[in-house]
Amino acid sequence: MNIQKDITQLTRMLCGSVSPFHCILTASDFLEEAGFTRLSLKDTWNLEAGGSYFLSVFDSSLMAFTVGREYERAKENTPSVPTLRMEAAHTDWPCLKLKPSPEVSTGRYGKLNVEVYGGPILSTWLDRPLSMAGKVCTAGETPFSPCVRMVDLKRPVAVIPNLAIHMNREVNSGVALNPQTDMLPVLTVFGADTDKEHYLLNLLAREIGCDPKEILDYEIYLYNLDPCSTLGLDEEFFSAPRIDNLTSVQACLSGITSGQRPNGINVIALYDNEEVGSRTKQGAFSAVTDRILEKIYLSLGYSRQQYINALLDGFLLSMDVAHAIHPNHTEKCDIKNQIFPGDGVAIKMAAAQSYATDASCISVIEDICRRSHIPYKKFSNRSDIKGGATLGAISSALLSMKTVDIGVPILAMHSAREMMGTKDQSALVALASEFFLV
């Protein structure tokens, strides 16, 4: 394991992935640098043995795959088909997102009308340097082909200021924050020449070099501009925004680029919208995964029945972060199944199947970890506290594929800034790589 290399790659991913759209751009750059060929979702594919490919799925999701070099020879000599192994993660995180009609005036303040995306810890977004990123659409050659431009302001432009303790004496006793009234970022103080009705649209228009009237629609997220950092007595911690779940995205990318199995198909799926239930065309609940996988096998000359055989014999490694035991609230964790930052990969288990839990499947991952000396621990939540869920159970049900949920243990999950063990990213990358090689 190369801890410094893995943290450097993770930092690049975190800094580049300031929206789900930019996560896909950053991932695409990583794959192209590794020699992967870009495909289009709607085109006919001509795949080759030993090939490495990727495609963007509706701008905010991505699938990449490799084809074993010996698949043709195996096809001629045996009725079997290339075995299917897959890793999945999500590209989104809890945050604030601009609404339509985003300009809100309060006296001379110009604020932004936002809504909450997912389940963030709202208080952690106060007093942070916030920037904005996403996509802006203008008219194209036809109504069905709008021009899509990606935007990243790359500078602090907004803040959500706390109310001073002198005006809110109970603030340290815990104060509920109303998303509509307390979470509106301030962007400007009006001057004599400020366009009070269109200051946000004017800003976006300047960024992409168009007239504000040309903008048809946008999807813009606010993001925390704080830098990544290592900390701790021996730099054993890593702190950054968006650790959930870009740690897993980077591990998937490192895994798929680490090598190929001679007669196998390796796939990664990076999905959007996990934080809001995955029920979108670009989410894990979509039929798009099944259709892309089938298209891979059909493009290689296999029948639908052979594809279904491969799917039913496939294996999915679902990657999402886990809860590390909290230093000040150890009572919130299970009395036995606890994991600390630095303990390695968490194998996530739940009787409710909120994590894909199957002893036979988990044994496969444990054996890989033991043979490759990858540190790991099993994790489960307290029996009286309902934990979160992942895309693993959704995908395993839709694809009818053996599945295990894993991830790195973190603190402050869903905060605007989270923390993990420095060594754990290397353990996750090592498992992601070995899973695609053995």
Side-chain angles (χ1 to χ4, degrees):
M1 296 191 296
N2 189 329
I3 296 173
Q4 185 57 53
K5 175 185 175 183
D6 293 325
I7 288 296
T8 298
Q9 289 184 338
L10 176 59
T11 299
R12 174 187 173 185
M13 174 59 62
L14 292 165
C15 293
S17 301
V18 290
S19 77
F21 310 115
H22 289 81
C23 178
I24 298 310
L25 295 177
T26 304
S28 298
D29 289 344
F30 187 91
L31 292 167
E32 287 183 330
E33 290 169 10
F36 279 60
T37 300
R38 183 187 293 268
L39 301 174
S40 171
L41 190 63
K42 61 184 180 180
D43 290 344
T44 299
W45 300 343
N46 297 307
L47 308 180
E48 298 178 353
S52 302
Y53 307 93
F54 76 98
L55 62 151
S56 173
V57 181
F58 305 120
D59 294 337
S60 60
S61 295
L62 177 146
M63 289 187 69
F65 60 95
T66 61
V67 180
R69 296 184 182 279
E70 299 177 9
Y71 94 91
E72 289 183 325
R73 177 170 58 81
K75 180 184 174 185
E76 293 169 359
N77 298 333
T78 176
S80 66
V81 295
T83 54
L84 175 61
R85 296 208 188 130
M86 183 173 169
E87 296 175 354
H90 65 86
T91 63
D92 61 326
W93 52 89
C95 62
L96 302 172
K97 187 177 181 180
L98 286 187
K99 284 181 171 181
S101 302
E103 295 89 357
V104 177
S105 300
T106 301
R108 290 178 55 204
Y109 286 116
K111 301 187 295 186
L112 298 174
N113 192 16
V114 298
E115 59 184 323
V116 174
Y117 177 89
I121 303 175
L122 292 178
S123 62
T124 65
W125 284 81
L126 304 180
D127 304 321
R128 299 273 189 182
L130 302 179
S131 190
M132 291 185 285
K135 68 178 178 180
V136 178
C137 299
T138 58
E141 293 184 2
T142 72
F144 285 91
S145 57
C147 179
V148 179
R149 300 281 300 275
M150 299 300 171
V151 174
D152 178 11
L153 300 186
K154 297 183 179 180
R155 64 187 187 278
V157 294
V159 69
I160 308 171
N162 243 310
L163 185 62
I165 193 170
H166 311 82
M167 303 174 186
N168 186 13
R169 293 290 182 179
E170 301 302 315
V171 65
N172 290 325
S173 300
V175 175
L177 295 172
N178 184 299
Q180 187 61 69
T181 58
D182 297 317
M183 299 304 297
L184 302 189
V186 60
L187 184 67
T188 187
V189 172
F190 296 139
D193 299 327
T194 304
D195 182 348
K196 297 182 180 181
E197 300 298 323
H198 305 103
Y199 50 85
L200 189 279
L201 285 182
N202 291 337
L203 173 61
L204 295 179
R206 287 197 302 271
E207 287 296 315
I208 65 173
C210 76
D211 188 289
K213 295 179 181 179
E214 296 178 41
I215 296 177
L216 298 173
D217 203 3
Y218 55 81
E219 285 185 65
I220 301 294
Y221 299 84
L222 277 78
Y223 70 90
N224 177 11
L225 207 61
D226 283 344
C228 306
S229 62
T230 54
L231 64 153
L233 186 63
D234 295 309
E235 295 189 332
E236 62 266 50
F237 299 121
F238 180 75
S239 173
R242 303 178 290 282
I243 283 177
D244 176 7
N245 185 34
L246 296 181
T247 54
S248 302
V249 169
Q250 183 56 55
C252 287
L253 292 167
S254 296
I256 197 72
T257 57
S258 64
Q260 302 174 341
R261 290 175 297 128
N263 180 33
I265 294 177
N266 294 337
V267 181
I268 63 168
L270 309 179
Y271 296 112
D272 194 7
N273 302 134
E274 189 274 346
E275 297 291 356
V276 292
S278 297
R279 291 175 177 267
T280 62
K281 66 184 184 303
Q282 60 272 2
F285 204 88
S286 169
V288 72
T289 305
D290 177 48
R291 289 168 182 166
I292 291 174
L293 293 176
E294 182 177 5
K295 190 170 181 176
I296 293 170
Y297 277 83
L298 294 178
S299 298
L300 293 171
Y302 295 102
S303 67
R304 175 167 174 78
Q305 179 167 306
Q306 287 174 310
Y307 159 63
I308 292 174
N309 291 342
L311 190 66
L312 294 173
D313 191 41
F315 202 115
L316 169 63
L317 201 56
S318 168
M319 299 189 194
D320 203 348
V321 293
H323 294 289
I325 187 169
H326 196 283
N328 298 329
H329 292 283
T330 57
E331 77 282 357
K332 294 294 185 179
C333 292
D334 184 64
I335 57 176
K336 292 283 288 184
N337 298 292
Q338 304 170 354
I339 187 165
F340 284 79
D343 280 350
V345 176
I347 298 178
K348 302 161 65 174
M349 305 170 68
Q353 295 295 323
S354 50
Y355 311 133
T357 300
D358 181 293
S360 299
C361 300
I362 288 171
S363 297
V364 171
I365 302 307
E366 278 197 89
D367 198 17
I368 292 175
C369 287
R370 291 184 181 186
R371 290 172 187 258
S372 301
H373 307 289
I374 299 169
Y376 76 94
K377 280 192 174 181
K378 294 179 181 177
F379 167 83
S380 61
N381 291 291
R382 269 185 66 113
S383 300
D384 56 354
I385 296 179
K386 183 180 179 180
T390 72
L391 59 84
I394 294 172
S395 294
S396 66
L398 285 174
L399 298 174
S400 303
M401 186 185 294
K402 297 183 288 290
T403 303
V404 173
D405 270 299
I406 65 166
V408 295
I410 73 168
L411 294 166
M413 190 184 297
H414 286 203
S415 170
R417 187 180 184 94
E418 299 159 324
M419 190 168 78
M420 62 182 287
T422 311
K423 297 178 181 179
D424 295 333
Q425 184 66 16
S426 288
L428 188 66
V429 167
L431 177 52
S433 300
E434 285 298 315
F435 177 78
F436 277 149
L437 291 173
V438 297

